[in-house]
Amino acid sequence: MTALLIKNARVFAPQDLGKNDVLMVNDRIVAVGQNLAPQLPDLEILDASGKILTPGFFDQHIHVTGGGGEGGPSTRTPELVLSELISCGTTSVVGVSGTDYTTRSIPNLLAKVRALQTEGVSAWMYTSNYKYPATTLTDSIANDLFFVPEVIGVKIALGDHRSSFPTAQQVLAVLAEVRVGAMIAGKTGFLHIHTGNIPGAFEMYDEILAKGFPIKHIRPTHCGRIRHVFDSAVEFCKKGGWIDITTGASCCFDHPAQAVIEAVGMGVDPTHITLSTDGHGSVPRFNEKGEMVGLGVGGVDGNLKETIRLISDCKMPIEQALLFTTKNVGDALGFKDQGRVEVGACANACLFTEDFNLTHVVARGRVMMRDGEVVVKGTFEI
């Protein structure tokens, strides 16, 4: 048994609970309250006086095995290592694949997700990549959802010159298999959609919704990269959907935090907005002919940066700014034990100074960063 007692922190769960103690046993939070004094063997006590405690960040779109490849084999981006996640307070991830469905296999993605679980964070994945029909681990989407616990849905690309351009009926067929397969597996099931700049994706969703299909399974991402996509995403969210704004790469506003502010100002329910990094994905730049003219690697710290920006620059209350990378993500994906500090939740937490410098990270009850230094690293990190 491992036990950790964090004392005297100002706790944002993400709601402001004031000054409290948090007791973690193994990978669960078992008590939140004042003046906790448990009698447990080998209990570690961490004094967090003067610090802010938040949930660990949840990144639901991150290329854990790397992405890229649009410019040939030398442009394949590297896979991430554990310390990258810890250094920015990310304790939960959903791994994705991208453009390259030839050299970036789905079994490799599953292996990396399981490696990250072993190394100490919480990890899941979407099966498939950009293409249609889906690239799966088994013989079908439904069987992936049923037989592989880590699979929570399927990824596809729409409105992108690298996508397969499926019809509305074909996308509906994929959604139907996701829904039924997830029902049998006891999951929610999602179609996680890379949204490109070519118009038409949200009109397709309207056609699908008009047939009576539940909106909860349709999950577009990259909703802040270009203005017409953003405006369509806002209208989609007003119908009860969720939108995900990418904190890495391009944004149609000055920064992704401003996209959040604009969406809320346009009437979007703030609990239906999430942020994700697209970390370790390639960041290609194309000219008007569709030719790649440059390439970068997406960082994994965008969620931390944009959360701090919402607080410091946009003057958003801390408890609201935290929602988009913590509780909202857990709720959106149906993980009621993720993205929150409460009894029964996964024992993930970040400690910040009052000016939001990250000092400690706890993942599944284990201190991974201490006093600003990553103390638990991946298997092959030096």
Side-chain angles (χ1 to χ4, degrees):
M1 183 185 73
T2 60
L4 173 67
L5 178 61
I6 303 175
K7 297 281 292 183
N8 306 314
R10 183 179 177 185
V11 177
F12 286 87
Q15 68 273 25
D16 187 357
L17 301 183
K19 188 175 180 180
N20 269 290
D21 304 338
V22 178
L23 176 63
M24 302 174 174
V25 177
N26 296 330
D27 65 350
R28 296 287 117 182
I29 296 173
V30 298
V32 179
Q34 297 180 353
N35 303 313
L36 298 181
Q39 301 299 312
L40 295 170
D42 301 319
L43 174 67
E44 178 182 356
I45 299 177
L46 177 57
D47 186 5
S49 298
K51 289 190 168 63
I52 291 169
L53 185 148
T54 75
F57 291 168
F58 194 158
D59 191 345
Q60 68 164 327
H61 183 108
I62 183 167
H63 292 266
V64 295
T65 57
E70 290 94 340
S74 64
T75 64
R76 296 165 76 252
T77 63
E79 71 175 45
L80 63 77
V81 294
L82 178 69
S83 62
E84 293 178 83
L85 300 177
I86 302 307
S87 65
C88 59
T90 299
T91 57
S92 304
V93 297
V94 182
V96 298
S97 290
T99 309
D100 180 2
Y101 52 79
T102 299
T103 72
R104 300 291 192 184
S105 74
I106 305 305
N108 184 48
L109 175 58
L110 175 60
K112 181 64 176 182
V113 164
R114 289 180 174 174
L116 289 169
Q117 292 172 348
T118 300
E119 290 174 338
V121 296
S122 301
W124 297 268
M125 62 177 281
Y126 291 107
T127 196
S128 200
N129 34 54
Y130 275 21
K131 71 185 291 288
Y132 172 87
T135 307
T136 56
L137 290 157
T138 65
D139 61 350
S140 70
I141 291 169
N143 281 343
D144 276 18
L145 284 161
F146 184 82
F147 289 111
V148 186
E150 292 85 356
V151 172
I152 62 171
V154 180
K155 184 182 176 182
I156 197 172
L158 295 176
D160 190 286
H161 63 89
R162 297 162 291 179
S163 66
S164 299
F165 295 95
T167 66
Q169 187 59 43
Q170 289 170 326
V171 173
L172 179 57
V174 172
L175 278 163
E177 187 173 2
V178 168
R179 176 171 168 79
V180 175
M183 290 171 64
I184 294 169
K187 301 176 180 178
T188 302
F190 310 102
L191 184 61
H192 183 75
I193 304 155
H194 164 104
T195 308
N197 295 344
I198 301 171
F202 286 91
E203 290 78 6
M204 185 181 293
Y205 306 151
D206 287 340
E207 182 179 341
I208 290 169
L209 295 175
K211 296 180 184 293
F213 194 86
I215 198 170
K216 68 179 182 179
H217 301 287
I218 304 172
R219 298 300 175 89
T221 187
H222 308 326
C223 292
R225 287 184 172 173
I226 192 167
R227 185 68 201 222
H228 77 81
V229 168
F230 176 80
D231 290 339
S232 296
V234 165
E235 294 307 310
F236 175 78
C237 205
K238 288 179 180 179
K239 298 169 186 173
W242 295 76
I243 58 172
D244 187 58
I245 295 169
T246 306
T247 57
S250 59
C251 181
C252 64
F253 298 97
D254 290 341
H255 43 71
Q258 187 61 39
V260 173
I261 298 296
E262 291 287 337
V264 174
M266 293 170 70
V268 170
D269 179 351
T271 67
H272 276 228
I273 302 171
T274 59
L275 298 176
S276 64
T277 67
D278 202 14
H280 271 256
S282 65
V283 187
R285 300 188 301 278
F286 297 94
N287 62 20
E288 65 280 358
K289 298 179 182 179
E291 300 166 334
M292 193 182 73
V293 296
L295 186 69
V297 180
V300 303
D301 59 351
N303 285 357
L304 174 62
K305 287 181 177 179
E306 296 307 310
T307 299
I308 293 174
R309 194 194 301 271
L310 283 167
I311 296 166
S312 61
D313 296 353
C314 302
K315 307 304 179 184
M316 182 178 284
I318 294 172
E319 55 266 38
Q320 184 174 4
L322 288 169
L323 282 174
F324 311 111
T325 52
T326 62
K327 185 176 183 291
N328 281 6
V329 187
D331 288 350
L333 298 180
F335 296 134
K336 298 301 184 181
D337 66 337
Q338 294 286 328
R340 62 202 74 207
V341 179
E342 61 185 36
V343 174
C346 190
N348 300 325
C350 296
L351 287 177
F352 294 90
T353 61
E354 292 181 349
D355 54 357
F356 267 85
N357 288 316
L358 182 63
T359 64
H360 293 71
V361 177
V362 181
R364 287 163 47 191
R366 186 182 183 188
V367 179
M368 312 286 267
M369 174 191 284
R370 193 183 298 272
D371 297 320
E373 179 183 355
V374 177
V375 294
V376 178
K377 297 184 178 181
T379 306
F380 296 103
E381 293 189 76
I382 298 174

